[in-house]
Amino acid sequence: MKYITWLILSSYLLVAFTEAAWGFQPSASFTQSTLDNLEDAPIIPRVPQNNPQKIKLSRSPEETATRLAQEVSIQIANDIAYGLVIAHEKRQVRYGTRMYRKVQTAINLLRRGAGLDGASRRSGVPRPLLDKLMQWGQQRPGASRHHVE
């Protein structure tokens, strides 16, 4: 019987704590006077009802520039990837060849944030070839018309 009474009282305490935490008004059957009458009930700390602080979402100029550079790099990689499909159709760079795999490496480097010159140097693909693939890729529908130097 004591166990059942303890379960009932602890469930009332849990309900009251949950209502207080979520900002609900306590139920009519369970009030502060009921809490005062409980001698063996555990003490539950009150949750403060302060308004949460608003989080600032502004970014530093350096972070904004980094994000913009990464987005442009990803767009260039997408242009080169589509240009590689066109180059295969024109029989310029065939699928599976060593140059094809090098261009794929350059695309992966660009998507990870490397610049066009760095991707060209690290992958071993001549920069004029990447420029030509990018030019072909920019002719697809939905491609952005950015200028890359």
Side-chain angles (χ1 to χ4, degrees):
M1 186 68 179
K2 286 183 180 181
Y3 182 70
I4 294 173
T5 306
W6 181 81
L7 281 176
I8 292 171
L9 291 176
S10 61
S11 67
Y12 281 131
L13 290 174
L14 183 60
V15 168
F17 179 72
T18 306
E19 288 176 349
W22 287 96
F24 296 118
Q25 298 296 327
S27 60
S29 64
F30 191 74
T31 60
Q32 184 64 36
S33 63
T34 309
L35 280 177
D36 294 338
N37 293 334
L38 298 175
E39 296 175 1
D40 295 334
I43 298 173
I44 299 175
R46 293 235 178 237
V47 177
Q49 297 291 329
N50 297 341
N51 292 335
Q53 295 178 356
K54 298 193 182 209
I55 300 172
K56 282 180 66 176
L57 295 178
S58 63
R59 295 186 173 98
S60 66
E62 296 83 19
E63 186 179 359
T64 303
T66 302
R67 283 181 180 263
L68 181 62
Q70 188 172 17
E71 288 176 14
V72 168
S73 182
I74 290 171
Q75 184 62 44
I76 291 171
N78 292 341
D79 292 342
I80 292 173
Y82 192 81
L84 190 58
V85 172
I86 295 172
H88 175 73
E89 290 172 357
K90 292 184 177 188
R91 299 176 186 243
Q92 299 291 321
V93 179
R94 301 295 292 176
Y95 175 81
T97 61
R98 181 177 293 186
M99 184 54 68
Y100 183 91
R101 291 191 307 264
K102 286 181 178 182
V103 172
Q104 288 291 338
T105 302
I107 291 169
N108 287 331
L109 289 168
L110 284 165
R111 287 188 174 145
R112 287 189 281 157
L116 197 53
D117 289 327
S120 171
R121 184 179 64 253
R122 289 173 59 191
S123 65
V125 179
R127 172 69 190 262
L129 177 60
L130 288 179
D131 291 339
K132 187 64 175 174
L133 293 173
M134 185 173 54
Q135 181 184 6
W136 284 339
Q138 288 175 346
Q139 295 172 1
R140 74 183 189 280
S144 66
R145 306 285 185 215
H146 54 72
H147 181 270
V148 178
E149 295 182 14

